[in-house]
Amino acid sequence: MSIYILGIESSCDDTSAAVIKERKILANLIANQDVHEKFGGVVPELASRAHQQNIIPVIDNALKKANIGKNQINAVAFTNGPGLLGSLLVGTSFAKSFALALGVPLISVNHMHAHILAHFIEDEGKDKHPPFPFLCLTVSGGHTQIVRVDSYYDMQVIGQTIDDAAGEAFDKAAKIMGLPYPGGPLVDKYSKDGNPDAFKFPHPKVPGLDYSFSGLKTSILYFLRDQLKRDPDFISLNISDLSASIQKNIVDILMRKVIEAVRQTGINHVALAGGVSANSGLRDAFMQKQRSGEWEVYIPPFEYCTDNAAMIAITGYFKYLRGDFASQSISPFTRYKE
Ligand code: KG4
Ligand code: ZN
């Protein structure tokens, strides 16, 4: 008998539901929230309310798309953290009630682990999964981590940001340039026509495998303030070169520590995960390592990079195999824990 898992993701500003049959995705639907755009960032209260509005229709549509009845579901997996409390509470409460009503196990999923385990989703045209142990650079709007992955259940953060996340660095740089939220994808888009060596920004000095991105924001801010004094049109005239230079800086910072992590651990199977893995500059830098034969590289399909419930469902599947179920009294956590 096949195992069907319903996955629910509501940690930030996307409400997503997915159904998997073993490792194969039958449905993976996402309701985005554009209500935040005019505020230049996610507004937690608005996010919770939008999740509340979206969650039932998204799950209903996912079950229809998967073409299964709710009584076929073997377990309900949901994001338990890290994330915004109000957002997490919506998914958690729904998952608990649904699992209880169906009489099936409840499975709690760590959002960051799920980004990594998205690599094991069985997808048409993709049969390359990383072997254990491997390293994973997990880069999102809220987190930047280098993780040593020894099994589906055993992961250790060996490096992380001490302030802003890489996605946050992209988004803040974009905001300074007057681009709408989330600016990361736009910086990527403008970079394509720009010269990455046009402007130089400093690299932070952080010991070990850790990162820092808050200094970059400050240096962009001061640089643009000075340039705008001389030419009020400086940003619009140089948007591509600015984007390409900022992107190069962020990618270089990310790559240096991953290169060091490979050297220290001797593990050269390296995966990319999280929303920022959609970035073309970062993908190119990884592919370059693949071409040179230094690393074996793993990059998930685009739709499994940014927040989605398919990654929650696959993580739920692995936990289901182990009988690792959550109690009905579980509550969400907001900050990362292993
Ligand atoms: O993993 P994710 O979807 O959500 C979080 O858990 O944070 O990551 C979202 C982040 C945002 O900061 C967004 O700007 C960034 O990923 N992002 C990108 C690109 N696509 C998404 N940053 C740079 N280039 C991209 N192409
Ligand atoms: Zn995420």
Side-chain angles (χ1 to χ4, degrees):
M1 264 246 307
S2 300
I3 295 163
Y4 295 91
I5 310 278
L6 171 68
I8 300 169
E9 155 63 29
S10 74
S11 65
C12 191
D13 60 340
D14 294 312
T15 320
S16 180
V19 179
I20 60 164
K21 179 182 177 185
E22 256 90 82
R23 295 181 185 201
K24 213 171 151 41
I25 304 298
L26 301 183
N28 180 36
L29 301 185
I30 302 175
N32 303 117
Q33 304 179 358
D34 40 20
V35 58
H36 307 287
E37 214 176 291
K38 59 177 176 290
F39 297 99
V42 177
V43 183
E45 291 255 326
L46 298 179
S48 321
R49 192 171 298 146
H51 282 304
Q52 187 77 267
Q53 288 162 346
N54 294 337
I55 194 154
I56 304 266
V58 169
I59 288 168
D60 192 33
N61 286 333
L63 290 172
K64 283 187 184 128
K65 171 119 196 279
N67 201 20
I68 65 160
K70 49 185 185 296
N71 292 327
Q72 285 175 268
I73 294 169
N74 295 90
V76 179
F78 69 101
T79 305
N80 194 33
L84 301 169
L85 184 64
S87 293
L88 289 164
L89 280 168
V90 177
T92 305
S93 302
F94 180 87
K96 283 187 183 188
S97 320
F98 203 45
L100 192 65
L102 295 175
V104 299
L106 179 68
I107 300 175
S108 77
V109 171
N110 181 314
H111 180 91
M112 298 308 291
H113 295 174
H115 268 303
I116 296 173
L117 294 180
H119 282 278
F120 297 94
I121 290 171
E122 223 173 77
D123 212 31
E124 270 162 51
K126 178 189 179 274
D127 52 4
K128 189 183 166 196
H129 308 295
F132 300 116
F134 66 92
L135 298 178
C136 188
L137 175 67
T138 315
V139 270
S140 73
H143 295 88
T144 300
Q145 299 178 332
I146 302 175
V147 186
R148 182 194 161 110
V149 188
D150 284 292
S151 77
Y152 301 126
Y153 312 101
D154 187 7
M155 306 181 192
Q156 192 194 350
V157 176
I158 57 173
Q160 61 191 317
T161 183
I162 57 168
D163 43 53
D164 290 352
E168 219 173 338
F170 271 109
D171 294 341
K172 285 181 176 174
K175 194 171 178 177
I176 296 169
M177 294 192 288
L179 299 175
Y181 177 85
L186 290 169
V187 172
D188 193 2
K189 188 175 142 224
Y190 285 119
S191 290
K192 297 200 165 68
D193 307 315
N195 171 11
D197 297 312
F199 307 108
K200 292 272 179 261
F201 297 103
H203 274 216
K205 290 189 178 48
V206 188
L209 299 176
D210 287 341
Y211 290 110
S212 167
F213 288 102
S214 64
L216 175 63
K217 180 190 64 186
T218 316
S219 64
I220 296 170
L221 206 57
Y222 288 153
F223 173 73
L224 288 180
R225 188 193 56 187
D226 294 344
Q227 298 300 324
L228 287 169
K229 271 186 208 152
R230 269 177 248 150
D231 178 2
D233 295 326
F234 182 80
I235 294 178
S236 55
L237 291 173
N238 295 281
I239 190 75
S240 296
D241 285 352
L242 280 168
S243 296
S245 302
I246 291 166
Q247 179 161 305
K248 178 173 193 274
N249 183 278
I250 296 174
V251 171
D252 284 352
I253 293 171
L254 289 170
M255 290 303 285
R256 279 189 193 184
K257 295 294 173 94
V258 184
I259 290 166
E260 179 56 18
V262 169
R263 196 192 64 74
Q264 281 183 18
T265 60
I267 299 169
N268 70 346
H269 289 272
V270 190
L272 199 51
V276 183
S277 52
N279 183 263
S280 61
L282 188 55
R283 284 175 172 244
D284 286 350
F286 262 63
M287 289 320 293
Q288 181 54 39
K289 288 287 184 191
Q290 171 85 44
R291 280 192 294 274
S292 69
E294 291 166 86
W295 299 355
E296 200 56 49
V297 162
Y298 306 85
I299 305 176
F302 190 77
E303 68 261 41
Y304 304 135
C305 288
T306 48
D307 286 351
N308 66 87
M311 67 185 198
I312 307 303
I314 187 91
T315 309
Y317 171 69
F318 292 125
K319 291 187 97 172
Y320 183 88
L321 294 180
R322 265 198 155 186
D324 186 354
F325 304 139
S327 92
Q328 276 287 339
S329 60
I330 195 166
S331 61
F333 60 95
T334 53
R335 296 177 70 83
Y336 179 77
K337 59 180 187 187
E338 294 209 318

